Amino acid sequence: METRETITLVTFRDEFAGDFDRLNREWLVRGNFLEPADEVYLAAPRAKIVDVGGEVFFALLGGDVVGTAAAIPHSADVIELGKLSVAPEAQGRGLGRQLTEAVIAFARERCAVRVVLTSNTRLTAAVSLYKSLGFEERDCPAGFGYETADVYMELTL
């Protein structure tokens, strides 16, 4: 019988900033998605996300960080789900869903009315996950998003 180690979700700790960069940089580089806008968050998650009212969630397997997602505030009532990443060796355990649900719960606790995100149609598993959680595709607002993003989605809370 297979035993699976317990996954624990925790909020931002400075000691995990390097893991936030590592996990996101891996998939962004692999998919040729890395942009200057990403570098801002990867270099300074505390200053650019947490200290401005957001949060970064980490999935721990044993003592290792194997997943991350950020709740990035855009206004008092809009939170962006960003920088969702799960290490290849930890995929298939529902971590993407758990991390996304943590961001949604964070947004609800702060009385946000929408959670928004950008993605890319090549990230089929991610887009399917978002749709399964109730996100709907919309036209991307001017000045929002990334050059490599071709999907903009919103979840009304």
Side-chain angles (χ1 to χ4, degrees):
M1 182 166 120
E2 178 185 356
T3 58
R4 295 181 87 134
E5 291 184 73
T6 302
I7 300 292
T8 306
L9 292 188
V10 299
T11 55
F12 185 81
R13 299 178 192 167
D14 287 314
E15 67 195 85
F16 295 150
D19 295 298
F20 180 74
D21 181 290
R22 173 184 56 83
L23 285 169
N24 282 289
R25 188 173 298 279
E26 283 175 7
W27 75 265
L28 289 165
V29 168
R30 184 173 56 248
N32 199 30
F33 295 120
L34 187 64
E35 305 182 24
D38 295 304
E39 294 286 3
V40 170
Y41 293 116
L42 298 182
R46 172 175 289 288
K48 297 299 183 183
I49 301 170
V50 178
D51 289 349
V52 297
E55 188 58 84
V56 179
F57 297 92
F58 293 93
L60 304 178
L61 177 60
D64 298 326
V65 175
V66 293
T68 185
I72 305 168
H74 281 269
S75 66
D77 60 357
V78 177
I79 300 288
E80 178 187 357
L81 165 64
K83 305 300 172 262
L84 175 63
S85 179
V86 176
E89 67 273 13
Q91 291 176 0
R93 296 171 173 255
L95 294 183
R97 178 172 298 273
Q98 289 177 49
L99 288 160
T100 301
E101 288 172 342
V103 169
I104 294 167
F106 175 89
R108 283 194 170 112
E109 289 166 8
R110 275 138 190 88
C111 300
V113 297
R114 285 181 296 145
V115 177
V116 300
L117 63 88
T118 58
S119 190
N120 187 285
T121 49
R122 289 190 289 138
L123 302 171
T124 55
V127 173
S128 293
L129 167 66
Y130 305 142
K131 286 180 179 178
S132 77
L133 289 167
F135 283 85
E136 296 178 346
E137 289 189 47
R138 300 274 192 260
D139 290 334
C140 188
F144 187 93
Y146 297 85
E147 292 178 22
T148 58
D150 63 3
V151 174
Y152 173 84
M153 302 179 90
E154 293 184 358
L155 174 67
T156 302
L157 301 176

